[in-house]
Amino acid sequence: MKVRQVKQIELWKIAGLVAVLVTLPVTISLFRIQAFNVENITGVSIGYLVIRLLFIFLFSFIVLQFNSNLKYNFPEFKYNSLVRQTLVVFINLGLYFGTLAVMTSLYSLFAGKALEGGEQKFLYFIFGIVHIILLFIARILRLGIIRQDNMIENERLQQQNLQKELSALKNQLNPHFLFNSLNTLNSLIRENSEATMFVNKLSHMYRYILQSSDRDLVCLTEELKFLESYTFLIKTRFRQHCLAIDMDISQEHLQMEIPPMALQLLVENAVKHNEMSKNCPLQLKIYSEGSSLVVQNSYHPRTTEVDSTGNGLLNLDKRYFLLRKEKITIQQNENLFTVKLPLIPMA
């Protein structure tokens, strides 16, 4: 597993701050360091100070980068923890002494003379303190990343637990229990053929919904069988003479596919938004036309307010677009409301 890294911008900012703070107290001849027998640091040009600032900045960034990011990506190989820690210590010592060697050379180049004993001790002391501070900062940065990762992981686990609880709640309604209940009801009303047929159709609908819930497409033949059960329930509710359905679908189109319950949605939409009575029955036509399935209903809007979100057709259109990058076609005039569904060849 790859270890998440501290952002580079944070390392640049901290390195810049350390460079400024370290360089500031040593700004040529402003301080006397008695403990190291240095009365004044002289003979250093402004150019050297700029180089010194940039050099400390780069040193700080490299130390931070290694100790907060790179060392955590070391391959494990066959090394144990002690070997890895020893390797980290040696790399840090290499950075420390390598940096001092380069700084000593830069001083000689810009000042025209070698560092004196006290000045050299001071330089070693300063870089030692800076290195230790950088190690602490790197550790703090890494602990911050670990804390963030722990929070993210805890959030992920909480989401998983919530999902499991939701699944458990969904599974509490056992499909077998419902089917068994419907079978029991069927046995109780066996004398009433119409009621028995109603329960059978309801059972078929529920079974189809369960079976197609995890499918993106279903065969048109299956969808028409489901629609037949649904329209039976509608006709039973509103009486036969209130709804008439005429189908004319070619045999070749019956083996094509559409999103599950697409036809049911359109029929339900027609029933919900139109008047249905003996004097004004709802006429539905479902027929194939080219590569589309046409669902057409007579248009007699209800005079009473309809409880509807208005998202049914919109959602169906989105489903088609996500599946096939196609759109459904909706047409409406004074007498007819027509929806064309693209038929999808079976894969």
CSV table of all heavy atoms in Angstrom, one decimal, residues 5 8 20 35 40 42 50 56 81 95 123 136 144 186 195 207 234 245 280 318 327:
chain,number,residue,atom,x,y,z
A,5,GLN,N,1.6,11.0,0.9
A,5,GLN,CA,2.7,12.0,1.1
A,5,GLN,C,2.2,13.3,1.7
A,5,GLN,O,1.1,13.7,1.4
A,5,GLN,CB,3.5,12.2,-0.1
A,5,GLN,CG,4.3,10.9,-0.6
A,5,GLN,CD,5.3,11.3,-1.7
A,5,GLN,OE1,5.3,12.4,-2.2
A,5,GLN,NE2,6.2,10.3,-1.9
A,8,GLN,N,3.8,18.8,-1.2
A,8,GLN,CA,5.1,19.5,-1.5
A,8,GLN,C,5.0,21.0,-1.1
A,8,GLN,O,6.0,21.5,-0.7
A,8,GLN,CB,5.4,19.3,-3.0
A,8,GLN,CG,5.6,17.9,-3.4
A,8,GLN,CD,6.7,17.2,-2.7
A,8,GLN,OE1,7.8,17.6,-2.7
A,8,GLN,NE2,6.3,16.1,-2.0
A,20,VAL,N,15.0,31.4,6.3
A,20,VAL,CA,15.0,32.8,6.7
A,20,VAL,C,15.4,33.0,8.1
A,20,VAL,O,16.2,33.8,8.5
A,20,VAL,CB,13.6,33.5,6.4
A,20,VAL,CG1,13.5,34.8,7.1
A,20,VAL,CG2,13.3,33.5,4.9
A,35,ALA,N,30.6,31.8,22.9
A,35,ALA,CA,30.7,30.4,23.2
A,35,ALA,C,31.6,29.7,22.3
A,35,ALA,O,32.3,28.7,22.6
A,35,ALA,CB,29.4,29.8,23.3
A,40,ASN,N,33.3,38.1,15.3
A,40,ASN,CA,32.6,38.7,14.2
A,40,ASN,C,32.8,37.8,12.9
A,40,ASN,O,33.8,37.2,12.7
A,40,ASN,CB,33.1,40.1,13.8
A,40,ASN,CG,32.0,41.0,13.3
A,40,ASN,OD1,31.0,40.6,12.9
A,40,ASN,ND2,32.3,42.3,13.4
A,42,THR,N,33.2,38.0,9.3
A,42,THR,CA,33.6,39.0,8.4
A,42,THR,C,34.0,38.5,7.1
A,42,THR,O,34.3,37.3,6.9
A,42,THR,CB,34.7,39.9,9.0
A,42,THR,OG1,35.8,39.0,9.2
A,42,THR,CG2,34.3,40.5,10.3
A,50,VAL,N,23.2,35.4,-0.1
A,50,VAL,CA,22.1,34.9,-0.9
A,50,VAL,C,22.2,33.4,-1.2
A,50,VAL,O,21.3,32.6,-1.1
A,50,VAL,CB,22.0,35.7,-2.3
A,50,VAL,CG1,21.0,35.0,-3.2
A,50,VAL,CG2,21.7,37.1,-2.0
A,56,ILE,N,20.5,26.8,2.5
A,56,ILE,CA,19.8,26.3,3.7
A,56,ILE,C,18.4,25.9,3.4
A,56,ILE,O,17.8,25.0,3.9
A,56,ILE,CB,19.8,27.4,4.8
A,56,ILE,CG1,21.3,27.6,5.3
A,56,ILE,CG2,18.9,27.0,6.0
A,56,ILE,CD1,21.4,28.7,6.3
A,81,SER,N,13.1,-3.9,11.2
A,81,SER,CA,12.9,-2.5,11.6
A,81,SER,C,14.3,-1.9,12.0
A,81,SER,O,14.5,-0.7,11.7
A,81,SER,CB,11.9,-2.5,12.8
A,81,SER,OG,11.8,-1.2,13.2
A,95,LEU,N,23.4,13.5,4.7
A,95,LEU,CA,22.9,14.9,4.4
A,95,LEU,C,23.6,16.0,5.2
A,95,LEU,O,23.9,17.0,4.7
A,95,LEU,CB,21.4,14.9,4.6
A,95,LEU,CG,20.5,14.1,3.6
A,95,LEU,CD1,19.1,14.1,4.0
A,95,LEU,CD2,20.7,14.7,2.2
A,123,LEU,N,29.1,26.9,12.6
A,123,LEU,CA,28.4,26.4,11.4
A,123,LEU,C,27.9,25.0,11.7
A,123,LEU,O,26.7,24.7,11.4
A,123,LEU,CB,29.3,26.4,10.2
A,123,LEU,CG,28.6,26.1,8.8
A,123,LEU,CD1,27.6,27.2,8.5
A,123,LEU,CD2,29.6,26.1,7.7
A,136,PHE,N,12.1,16.9,13.9
A,136,PHE,CA,10.9,17.0,14.7
A,136,PHE,C,9.7,17.5,13.8
A,136,PHE,O,8.6,17.0,13.9
A,136,PHE,CB,11.1,18.0,15.8
A,136,PHE,CG,11.7,17.3,17.0
A,136,PHE,CD1,13.0,17.6,17.3
A,136,PHE,CD2,11.0,16.5,17.9
A,136,PHE,CE1,13.6,17.0,18.4
A,136,PHE,CE2,11.5,15.9,19.0
A,136,PHE,CZ,12.9,16.1,19.3
A,144,GLY,N,0.5,14.2,11.3
A,144,GLY,CA,-0.7,14.8,10.8
A,144,GLY,C,-1.3,14.0,9.7
A,144,GLY,O,-2.6,13.9,9.6
A,186,ASN,N,-54.2,-16.8,-1.5
A,186,ASN,CA,-54.8,-17.4,-2.6
A,186,ASN,C,-55.7,-18.6,-2.2
A,186,ASN,O,-56.8,-18.9,-2.8
A,186,ASN,CB,-53.7,-17.9,-3.6
A,186,ASN,CG,-54.1,-17.8,-5.0
A,186,ASN,OD1,-55.2,-17.4,-5.3
A,186,ASN,ND2,-53.1,-18.1,-5.9
A,195,ALA,N,-60.6,-12.8,-7.6
A,195,ALA,CA,-59.7,-12.4,-6.5
A,195,ALA,C,-58.4,-13.3,-6.7
A,195,ALA,O,-57.3,-12.8,-6.5
A,195,ALA,CB,-60.3,-12.6,-5.2
A,207,ARG,N,-42.5,-10.7,-8.3
A,207,ARG,CA,-41.4,-11.6,-8.7
A,207,ARG,C,-40.5,-10.9,-9.8
A,207,ARG,O,-39.3,-10.9,-9.8
A,207,ARG,CB,-41.9,-12.9,-9.2
A,207,ARG,CG,-40.8,-14.0,-9.3
A,207,ARG,CD,-41.4,-15.3,-9.8
A,207,ARG,NE,-42.6,-15.7,-9.1
A,207,ARG,CZ,-42.5,-16.4,-8.0
A,207,ARG,NH1,-41.3,-16.8,-7.5
A,207,ARG,NH2,-43.6,-16.8,-7.4
A,234,ILE,N,-54.9,-2.8,-13.0
A,234,ILE,CA,-55.5,-1.5,-13.3
A,234,ILE,C,-57.0,-1.7,-13.8
A,234,ILE,O,-57.9,-1.0,-13.3
A,234,ILE,CB,-54.7,-0.8,-14.4
A,234,ILE,CG1,-53.3,-0.4,-13.9
A,234,ILE,CG2,-55.4,0.5,-14.9
A,234,ILE,CD1,-53.3,0.5,-12.7
A,245,ILE,N,-56.3,-1.5,-24.3
A,245,ILE,CA,-55.0,-1.5,-24.9
A,245,ILE,C,-54.9,-2.3,-26.1
A,245,ILE,O,-55.4,-3.5,-26.2
A,245,ILE,CB,-54.0,-2.1,-23.8
A,245,ILE,CG1,-54.0,-1.3,-22.6
A,245,ILE,CG2,-52.6,-2.2,-24.4
A,245,ILE,CD1,-53.0,-1.8,-21.5
A,280,CYS,N,-65.6,8.0,-21.2
A,280,CYS,CA,-64.3,8.5,-21.8
A,280,CYS,C,-63.2,7.6,-21.4
A,280,CYS,O,-62.4,7.8,-20.5
A,280,CYS,CB,-64.0,9.9,-21.2
A,280,CYS,SG,-62.6,10.7,-21.9
A,318,LYS,N,-33.2,9.8,-18.8
A,318,LYS,CA,-31.8,9.7,-18.3
A,318,LYS,C,-31.3,8.3,-18.4
A,318,LYS,O,-30.1,8.0,-18.7
A,318,LYS,CB,-31.7,10.2,-16.9
A,318,LYS,CG,-31.9,11.7,-16.8
A,318,LYS,CD,-31.8,12.2,-15.3
A,318,LYS,CE,-31.8,13.7,-15.2
A,318,LYS,NZ,-31.8,14.2,-13.8
A,327,LYS,N,-32.0,9.2,-26.6
A,327,LYS,CA,-33.0,9.9,-25.9
A,327,LYS,C,-34.4,9.4,-26.3
A,327,LYS,O,-34.6,8.9,-27.5
A,327,LYS,CB,-33.0,11.4,-26.2
A,327,LYS,CG,-31.6,12.1,-26.1
A,327,LYS,CD,-31.3,12.3,-24.6
A,327,LYS,CE,-32.0,13.6,-24.1
A,327,LYS,NZ,-31.6,13.9,-22.7
